[in-house]
Amino acid sequence: MNRVVDIIRENYAQLTPSKKKVASYFLNNYSTAYLDTLSELADKIGVSDTTIINYCNDMGYFGYNGFKKALKEEQKTNILAEATDTAGADAPLLREIAGQLCTNITKTLTDSENIRSIEAAVKMLSDASKIYTVGFWTWAAVAREMEVRLMYKGYLAEAIFPDLGDYIDHLFWAGKDDVALVYDFSNYTTALTEICSVLKEREVPIILITDNGPCPRLSMADIVIRCSNQTYFSESTSNSPIAEAVNEAITAQLFRLYPRKRDDYNKESRKLAFTQFNPYGVYEKRI
């Protein structure tokens, strides 16, 4: 198939002066020529709408719309080819990884049990006074990212990282009106078991996001969302993009169905909420 630019150049010499103006504009603005409407383009070039349409017909396209469609398709093909060339020898492996990630994310978000669990989690989070996001080791980043998402949309949230120590202090005021999102992909982490035990003692509902394998804390969870991790990946850290996809699914529904008014990051009110607020109505200065 001939490139659009080659077709323009091939017949340039035989064109009328007005059509040459159109052809010159297309050649000089090849990457953006399809962005204008017909009237906008005519004004820029200084010709009539009819001249542009007739010129596009002469090139073998169905008017200006046909030309725009052909140019967009060509540029899309060029971008894909450039990306493949840049990837070089690693392209097959990268495509395999990308394909498996897409497969696992799709399996996770379309699983019937997960769909029900995500809907229940969204409702539970919408009613929470405060949301704790808990992530151990590599999952601390996922927990922190979820905390930031929630805070940005007006939800009160706090990330807890068990591997940094003193994590029980963060749950000092936790109560049954709160909710915990626990990212649990470390089967033998004692700290996670301890945190979940404290949460259960304080009657905090737990939403557990884990993988398909065995998990010692399943019995402590009120809601379980399982991330698919099959076929290609074997390390637990490979679940990170799948857990992030779950975050996206939860927050997309939460913010759409239960929007909250942002408080413009009022630092004093947040400081009070994080350091002095007791869900049972007691205010106390904490040192």
Side-chain angles (χ1 to χ4, degrees):
M1 179 182 292
N2 291 332
R3 295 186 308 156
V4 175
V5 68
D6 292 333
I7 295 174
I8 296 172
R9 288 170 176 164
E10 182 180 349
N11 301 310
Y12 186 84
Q14 290 78 38
L15 297 175
T16 64
S18 59
K19 289 182 179 179
K20 279 186 178 179
K21 291 177 70 175
V22 178
S24 296
Y25 182 86
F26 285 161
L27 290 172
N28 293 328
N29 301 275
Y30 193 65
S31 61
T32 59
Y34 61 88
L35 297 176
D36 294 315
T37 65
L38 181 58
S39 59
E40 289 172 342
L41 187 62
D43 288 340
K44 285 183 179 180
I45 300 174
V47 298
S48 66
D49 294 3
T50 303
T51 300
I52 297 174
I53 294 171
N54 289 339
Y55 174 63
C56 293
N57 286 335
D58 292 344
M59 287 194 293
Y61 302 110
F62 189 70
Y64 180 52
N65 287 334
F67 169 78
K68 290 204 302 183
K69 181 178 179 181
L71 190 55
K72 282 192 287 187
E73 288 299 320
E74 179 181 297
Q75 293 196 13
K76 185 187 299 181
T77 302
N78 291 341
I79 290 170
L80 291 174
E82 183 179 346
T84 302
D85 291 342
T86 303
D90 291 332
L93 176 60
L94 293 176
R95 281 194 291 268
E96 183 180 357
I97 293 171
Q100 193 57 52
L101 273 175
C102 290
T103 298
N104 285 339
I105 289 172
T106 301
K107 284 182 179 179
T108 299
L109 298 184
T110 58
D111 177 81
S112 57
E113 289 294 325
N114 280 345
I115 290 173
R116 287 191 288 270
S117 295
I118 289 172
E119 289 176 350
V122 167
K123 183 63 174 69
M124 184 178 287
L125 292 169
S126 72
D127 294 331
S129 294
K130 183 175 181 179
I131 300 169
Y132 294 93
T133 60
V134 184
F136 182 84
W137 193 41
T138 56
W139 304 102
V142 180
R144 171 64 173 164
E145 188 265 349
M146 189 58 158
E147 174 202 31
V148 172
R149 279 182 185 231
L150 293 166
M151 295 272 282
Y152 185 73
K153 289 293 186 176
Y155 283 78
L156 185 61
E158 181 178 1
I160 297 177
F161 313 130
D163 43 326
L164 297 182
D166 297 328
Y167 47 84
I168 299 302
D169 290 344
H170 289 268
L171 300 173
F172 189 79
W173 298 119
K176 58 185 177 182
D177 293 329
D178 305 321
V179 173
L181 265 173
V182 180
Y183 301 88
D184 190 350
F185 297 88
S186 305
N187 292 342
Y188 305 104
T189 305
T190 304
L192 274 179
T193 300
E194 185 174 2
I195 281 182
C196 287
S197 298
V198 172
L199 290 169
K200 295 310 292 182
E201 287 175 4
R202 300 182 183 279
E203 301 182 66
V204 179
I206 296 174
I207 300 169
L208 194 71
I209 300 174
T210 185
D211 57 19
N212 291 326
C215 175
R217 288 152 295 270
L218 278 176
S219 61
M220 300 181 183
D222 296 88
I223 296 174
V224 177
I225 302 171
R226 286 195 178 266
C227 295
S228 179
N229 185 21
Q230 301 172 351
T231 308
Y232 185 83
F233 300 106
S234 58
E235 298 295 330
S236 64
T237 52
S238 64
N239 275 304
S240 181
I242 307 171
E244 289 167 359
V246 171
N247 280 356
E248 183 68 34
I250 290 174
T251 53
Q253 292 188 44
L254 182 65
F255 301 154
R256 180 177 299 176
L257 298 175
Y258 307 99
R260 290 190 180 181
K261 184 178 180 181
R262 287 176 54 186
D263 62 2
D264 297 322
Y265 293 95
N266 185 307
K267 294 182 179 180
E268 289 305 314
S269 65
R270 288 187 181 278
K271 182 179 179 181
L272 178 67
F274 280 121
T275 61
Q276 297 171 269
F277 177 64
N278 179 328
Y280 302 106
V282 177
Y283 284 83
E284 178 180 308
K285 181 66 177 178
R286 294 178 62 190
I287 299 174

